[in-house]
Amino acid sequence: MRQGNIPGARPGPRQYLPHAERVDTGIVTISGKYALTDAARDRLDARLLTHPWSVIPPSGCGMFIAPHEFTAPAAVAAAEVLPPGLLFDDTRSYVFWAFAAKRERFGTDLTEFTPAQLHATADRTTTGWAPELRHLVAGSDPAATTLIPIKTSLPIPRWTTTNVTLLGDAIHSMTPFAGIGANTALRDAQLLCRMLIAADRRERGLLEAVDSYEAAMTDYGFAAVRTALSTAERSLADGRLGRMMGKLVLRTAGAIPPMKRRMFADLGA
């Protein structure tokens, strides 16, 4: 992106933002959506509608579940002519689920699978799970099933500050397993806002303010990236004891708010 004519900007030739490389983690998720019609809602375990859930089975895989409730009309006119599964986010309530595992667990390349084949794979790999979870997967719309490779950014050296900067996933995208990506982006926005206000008040120069933001942001942002990656690796580890201990810690933190706040204080939670 090119440098503009903003007061305080460093003069010079065309400037470009740094590029944070995103690499494959070897983890993929099969995600689906369970449409919350009146009848479907009655068939679903009510606990799955209360808040997001992380499911940690005995070994090697995991599932994230999140209800999405909307009060808007169930459909818009344009949606009536679209294929099933589209505009789910905008037209009706649903429960989102994502089954995650290392690629090798599936024993085949999923990239060429159709949505229906992905849905069948998720249904098969959750055989033996609790009936409530089995019904969630089996009752979802096969056409809305997707494959999502999990990637992570890599830390990069500091760059020369200009009047254009980055925040959120544009610089420190991370795996979703720690649940801290959005919080980290909001922390970026809050800090950058404070720095720009200080520059506007002539308390510091524009580039000095942006440089201060970038120094702090790259420090805590890439720390969050590392935390999210290690959380992903632990979540999908094969060790039964480690997974049991992880579940115990999370359940204890969820039951004791002061402990939870202390655990996640540095993660924007």
Side-chain angles (χ1 to χ4, degrees), residues 142-158:
T145 311
T146 58
L147 182 70
I148 306 175
I150 301 301
K151 296 184 178 183
T152 184
S153 61
L154 295 177
I156 59 176
R158 282 296 311 282

Side-chain angles (χ1 to χ4, degrees), residues 30 32 40 43 75 82 85-86 93-94 97 99 122 150 154 158 166 189 194 199 223 226 235 259:
I30 299 176
R43 292 193 296 268
L82 294 175
L86 295 184
S93 298
Y94 62 90
W97 56 266
F99 176 87
I150 301 301
L154 295 177
R158 282 296 311 282
L166 298 162
R194 290 206 310 265
R226 291 189 291 271
S235 298
M259 177 181 174

Side-chain angles (χ1 to χ4, degrees), residues 216-227:
M217 177 271 291
T218 51
D219 183 41
Y220 67 70
F222 286 115
V225 168
R226 291 189 291 271
T227 295

Side-chain angles (χ1 to χ4, degrees), residues 198-240:
D200 184 64
R201 292 173 175 171
R202 301 297 191 266
E203 296 171 359
R204 56 173 61 192
L206 175 62
L207 293 185
E208 177 192 359
V210 175
D211 184 71
S212 295
Y213 157 73
E214 290 173 345
M217 177 271 291
T218 51
D219 183 41
Y220 67 70
F222 286 115
V225 168
R226 291 189 291 271
T227 295
L229 181 58
S230 65
T231 301
E233 293 169 343
R234 289 196 307 270
S235 298
L236 302 181
D238 290 323
R240 184 179 294 267

